[in-house]
Amino acid sequence: MNKNRLFYILPFLLLSSCFGTFSEGERLFRNQEYQKAISEFSKVLFISSTDLKSLHLRARAHEELEEYDEAIADYKTITKLKPNYAQAYAGIGKIRWKQENYVEAEKFLLIAAMHDSEDYEILFLLGRAMIMNKNYRSADEFLEIAKKIKPKEANLHFYQGIARAHSGDPLGCAASFNTYLKYASDNLTARYNRGWALMRIGYLEWAIEDFDEVLKAKPKHYEAMARRAYCYMEQDQAKACRELQTAAQGGSQFALKHLADCN
């Protein structure tokens, strides 16, 4: 090879080794080779620091490696470059959720939802964050929006039932858990909560059926026992009082409160 030609080719080869490609970084990411993916995206960003797709997947790779500070730094860079980039805010919100910082999670997921109100995952996680922050009515509202997108997602109905239970909507709570139990009939928490909601709205026989199912699986579920006893009070006071006494001894505050009904 001509020496002069070699003189020009070698620097080009050395320089090209510093270049990366998004497609190669994406391939590495899909193969769960996150450290290599980060290296590849960093090469891309060395040449083009505003490449949003590379920034996003590098942030995701850092997130998978639990390098949360680095991931958040990339997400924040994205929001500076493109303030309406919903997935970047969602990324920060999801990290804060993993860190159990639910106030910050709600804050960033709410911003994400403002920029993309049709992303189910954003709306669903936002609703859950709001439940953790005891913002139950708002949680119900956002989960209702999410339900219009994916009405058959079982977990959505479960968490909406929780939100409705805490926001004083027993009828809505019962409806949510009723739908949830179509998809997951063996979930005892949902069955207990539906029983509680049915009890609140006066459907005592149906409530007893739910509490019966819970107690068959968990005979020492004293809260279910106490509420079943409450449902029995008018038709069989003696039996109700025996169960209230047992539940109270087991630590049920509801039972302790209603033991006075037995005097």
Side-chain angles (χ1 to χ4, degrees):
M1 181 182 291
N2 183 285
K3 289 184 178 181
N4 289 333
R5 186 180 178 190
L6 184 62
F7 176 80
Y8 288 110
I9 291 175
L10 281 175
F12 174 78
L13 291 174
L14 290 171
L15 185 60
S16 65
S17 68
C18 298
F19 296 165
T21 64
F22 174 80
S23 59
E24 176 61 11
E26 185 179 36
R27 184 189 70 79
L28 292 165
F29 180 86
R30 302 302 176 204
N31 289 339
Q32 300 182 2
E33 298 179 72
Y34 300 121
Q35 202 62 61
K36 290 181 180 179
I38 289 168
S39 178
E40 189 70 15
F41 290 129
S42 295
K43 291 177 183 179
V44 175
L45 291 162
F46 180 77
I47 302 301
S48 178
S49 62
T50 60
D51 187 318
L52 295 179
K53 291 193 297 182
S54 293
L55 276 167
H56 190 175
L57 275 191
R58 188 173 72 174
R60 287 284 295 108
H62 279 304
E63 191 177 340
E64 292 291 341
L65 295 172
E66 298 185 358
E67 297 170 351
Y68 296 138
D69 289 343
E70 292 86 348
I72 287 174
D74 277 345
Y75 285 133
K76 286 187 174 180
T77 297
I78 293 171
T79 63
K80 289 177 183 176
L81 294 169
K82 190 175 181 181
N84 65 344
Y85 199 111
Q87 289 300 326
Y89 296 107
I92 298 173
K94 289 172 184 176
I95 289 172
R96 293 308 189 208
W97 172 273
K98 291 174 185 176
Q99 295 174 328
E100 299 183 3
N101 185 340
Y102 301 116
V103 172
E104 285 285 296
E106 179 180 334
K107 170 186 169 182
F108 283 99
L109 288 163
L110 184 57
I111 296 171
M114 287 169 57
H115 292 300
D116 186 352
S117 60
E118 296 183 357
D119 186 302
Y120 174 83
E121 296 300 330
I122 291 173
L123 295 166
F124 177 62
L125 192 55
L126 173 58
R128 291 187 63 193
M130 287 176 164
I131 289 172
M132 297 302 294
N133 293 325
K134 300 183 179 181
N135 296 326
Y136 300 118
R137 290 189 183 278
S138 295
D140 184 18
E141 290 173 6
F142 279 100
L143 291 170
E144 185 66 23
I145 297 170
K147 187 166 68 178
K148 292 176 182 176
I149 300 169
K150 291 188 178 182
K152 295 183 179 180
E153 285 291 322
N155 283 339
L156 182 146
H157 296 283
F158 179 86
Y159 287 106
Q160 190 170 29
I162 294 292
R164 288 174 167 179
H166 286 286
S167 60
D169 180 9
L171 187 59
C173 172
S176 290
F177 284 118
N178 193 48
T179 303
Y180 174 78
L181 286 165
K182 289 181 182 179
Y183 305 108
S185 59
D186 59 346
N187 186 298
L188 294 179
T189 301
R191 194 168 288 279
Y192 167 77
N193 279 291
R194 186 176 69 176
W196 169 87
L198 290 168
M199 181 190 77
R200 288 282 304 275
I201 58 179
Y203 294 123
L204 300 185
E205 292 298 326
W206 291 353
I208 288 170
E209 288 179 10
D210 277 339
F211 294 136
D212 282 345
E213 289 299 316
V214 173
L215 288 162
K216 281 179 187 177
K218 290 188 175 182
K220 293 184 179 181
H221 194 304
Y222 294 114
E223 295 302 333
M225 185 183 295
R227 283 160 176 78
R228 183 175 70 177
Y230 179 85
C231 294
Y232 277 135
M233 189 61 74
E234 290 188 8
Q235 57 181 280
D236 191 341
Q237 187 177 26
K239 178 178 180 179
C241 289
R242 286 195 301 271
E243 286 206 342
L244 281 173
Q245 185 67 45
T246 301
Q249 291 172 351
S252 168
Q253 293 300 310
F254 183 88
L256 284 168
K257 178 180 177 181
H258 288 280
L259 270 177
D261 298 339
C262 295
N263 295 332

